[in-house]
Amino acid sequence: MSFEPNQNLTNFSVTAEVPSNIALVKYWGKRDPERQWPANDSLSMTLNAAKTITTARVVTGTVDSLKRQDQSGRLTSMDQSDKALRHLAFLRRELGMSGSLELTTRNTFPTGCGIASSASGLGALTMAAIGAWTGAKNLDELEAAGFNGERLAALARLGSGSACRSFHGGYVLWTAGNEPDAQGVLQVYDQDHWQLADLICIVSREEKAISSSAGHLTAATSPLFRPRLAGLPERMRRVRAAIAARDLDALGAQIEAEALEMHAVMMTANPSLKYLQDASCELITWLRNEREARGLPAFFTIDAGPNIHVICSQADSDKVATRILAAFPQVTIISDSTGGGPTLTGRQLV
Ligand code: DP6
């Protein structure tokens, strides 16, 4: 399909919606931070409700502007040192694009409560910017302009590694390959293969003191890092087999061990990184007890923060959420599930 770019781009606005994802096998540690080459393969589930919605438009002038809208609708302008604006400048150089952009972005989930927003945020920024520069009105036109999902994922990865896994729905594998350019992102199963719930339990709203980008850089100082890498191919094999068989018990055992192992690497790194809080540990201890003593069919995973993602079947999610809230009334739950990939909608402004 050939694609004629819109000649009057300043009258064109494009909105990208890119979902967040939760890693079941974690990306932790980089072989080459410059080229965003991860130390290991990782696998995630794309989320449905938690996403970033970014609108972009080409404007006259020489400066990009980015406004973040919070839950109450208030807009905050980002300064030029913001990670997203730096990625935008990189994209423009790398792709030889011209035109300053005006962007507005918002998350469908509360920010500043420890839920990672860099995967969906950098993903949506990448897609919206390229949509505005090319004048593409949908994903087919973006592909016809030379930007298929694979290329968009590779570009978004350079802004934030985990963003590359948000360009497909369902269950997504990011392979490290044996050189930086041999990385790949592929959908292992789509969202209809197995619908799981992710009950994101907010135990703390504190901003983390050390970003994951900084944490990745010290991962290799942990004496547990090499043994972890040695064991990961087998864990990946088991996780993939459990997803293939839709076997929650088998998946749950793997993802819990995986999350704890990543946090053990973090805590034994130099300097030591401790993201888990007492409230995180209380919740996971309770969950394990409920499962063993009362058969609650739910398992946890944790990202680089104190909040706990409880994974269970969609059918059990209300029951599991009710039990969590009865035991931990101070916890807020964001209820999410397996979702589809991103969308792009462009429209001519009158
Ligand atoms: C713990 O993708 O946020 O969530 O590439 O430096 O932006 P950068 O890091 P980021 O790391 C995510 C780490 C993780 C695990 C995961 O999502 O795989």
Side-chain angles (χ1 to χ4, degrees), residues 23 27 30 36 83 118 160-162 165 212-213 216 262 303-304:
Y27 148 50
K30 304 185 191 194
Q36 287 285 69
K83 185 175 176 176
S118 75
S160 180
S162 52
R165 297 186 310 236
S212 7
S213 299
H216 280 292
M262 178 181 74
D303 267 348

Side-chain angles (χ1 to χ4, degrees), residues 26-95:
K26 310 290 183 183
Y27 148 50
W28 195 248
K30 304 185 191 194
R31 264 185 268 188
D32 179 350
E34 284 291 298
R35 304 173 75 180
Q36 287 285 69
W37 189 22
N40 60 276
D41 295 356
S42 56
L43 189 148
S44 57
M45 179 174 92
T46 299
L47 296 178
N48 181 44
K51 53 188 170 189
T52 300
I53 303 172
T54 300
T55 296
R57 191 167 70 90
V58 174
V59 288
T60 49
T62 52
V63 190
D64 296 315
S65 83
L66 171 64
K67 292 195 175 95
R68 291 218 167 93
Q69 191 173 33
D70 66 17
Q71 299 295 111
S72 63
R74 203 181 40 227
L75 290 167
T76 310
S77 293
M78 296 298 116
D79 68 40
Q80 298 297 316
S81 66
D82 183 74
K83 185 175 176 176
L85 280 172
R86 282 188 283 124
H87 185 57
L88 191 62
F90 160 79
L91 288 174
R92 183 184 288 105
R93 269 197 320 276
E94 181 74 12
L95 302 174

